[in-house]
Amino acid sequence: MATGITIGEAARRSGCPVATIRYYEEVGLLRPAARSAAGRRVFGMPDIERLRLIRRLRTMDIGLDAVRELVDAMGRGGAACLDVRDMALAHLEAVRARRAELDALDRTLTRLTATCSAACKDGPDASCTIIADLIAA
Amino acid sequence: MATGITIGEAARRSGCPVATIRYYEEVGLLRPAARSAAGRRVFGMPDIERLRLIRRLRTMDIGLDAVRELVDAMGRGGAACLDVRDMALAHLEAVRARRAELDALDRTLTRLTATCSAACKDGPDASCTIIADLIAA
DNA sequence: GCTTGCTCCTCAAGTCGCTTGAGCATGTAG
DNA sequence: CTACATGCTCAAGCGACTTGAGGAGCAAGC
């Protein structure tokens, strides 16, 4: 057999931890792997590609349900790339919204810490409003 | 009694769901609330302020353990504002790191979707590399 | 007084996406 | 032949809640 990849090797090639690969199989993201005589999982290149794709989608914070839909759609061939693109576009919006939240948070934290640093530059000072500002914000 | 706030009212004033307030009490973030004759929780203004503060810290993605330390430190008065500032500064770094990740993701998604849109502008096209790009990335 | 409907209570279990651990079998290198 | 790494299964744990069941209390209108 040209391809006889163990789960550890699959983990190395895909970047997914071993336990995570087993978990993906358990929840149906991966079809049940073939087994060796001793009952060990044996993977092939298509499994590795699928894993790499799943992992890539997961690092984009795409939920497992959406990942499952996507990889299944791809498996059925055809117009999958448009589905992928639509998902990517929808996700892009979510990413931008989250980034805007983080920007706002950055500004808030910067302002709060600057206020405290100014009021307490010679040690804690009763005039420091950082806690009250946090409550009021 | 000037203050006799029900849990529903506390939820409205703090922005925390009712179930979350009970959960915070259960895990020790809030001291156990006083009870009415019928066994219902009765809150006062200090509880509401504490809740607002907790909620504010949580929207900053600060873990419950860190929140607990902070609100306890504040309860003990004194130099709490420096603790808060240090936490805020540490957290600011985490926020910026996460934002950088999202920026990278934004660029990736933008590039991928643009490629697909160009290749598939007249319908799905076999030359579209979005899926292969995802696997390879 | 009575009914309606909202709010409140407790306790248990479910969510998501894994991770960790126990306890055992198998494969590989020296 | 002996280590030791790697594999297996099953079960539980994580954070931070959320949801659901099953019941009691309370305020308002009739």
Side-chain angles (χ1 to χ4, degrees), chain A residues 111-127:
Chain A
R111 182 170 46 77
L112 286 174
T113 54
T115 308
C116 176
S117 291
C120 306
K121 60 178 176 299
D122 305 316
D125 192 299
S127 74

Side-chain angles (χ1 to χ4, degrees), chain A residues 32-114:
Chain A
R35 298 295 182 122
S36 75
R40 301 192 163 192
R41 287 176 184 81
V42 178
F43 297 89
M45 279 315 291
D47 299 311
I48 307 302
E49 284 191 4
R50 194 174 168 108
L51 266 176
R52 289 176 63 83
L53 176 55
I54 292 168
R55 186 170 165 278
R56 183 79 184 128
L57 294 169
R58 287 294 302 129
T59 65
M60 294 180 184
D61 271 344
I62 293 165
L64 279 196
D65 284 352
V67 169
R68 194 179 346 246
E69 275 180 42
L70 279 171
V71 290
D72 287 354
M74 289 174 208
R76 286 193 301 277
C81 81
L82 294 182
D83 291 342
V84 174
R85 189 191 56 189
D86 289 348
M87 172 284 298
L89 285 172
H91 195 59
L92 188 50
E93 276 193 62
V95 167
R96 288 181 173 160
R98 179 70 184 141
R99 195 182 43 189
E101 285 176 19
L102 291 183
D103 278 338
L105 190 46
D106 185 327
R107 284 192 296 275
T108 302
L109 288 172
T110 301
R111 182 170 46 77
L112 286 174
T113 54

Side-chain angles (χ1 to χ4, degrees), chain B residues 80-92:
Chain B
C81 82
L82 294 183
D83 292 341
V84 174
R85 189 191 57 190
D86 288 349
M87 172 283 299
L89 284 172
H91 194 59
L92 187 50

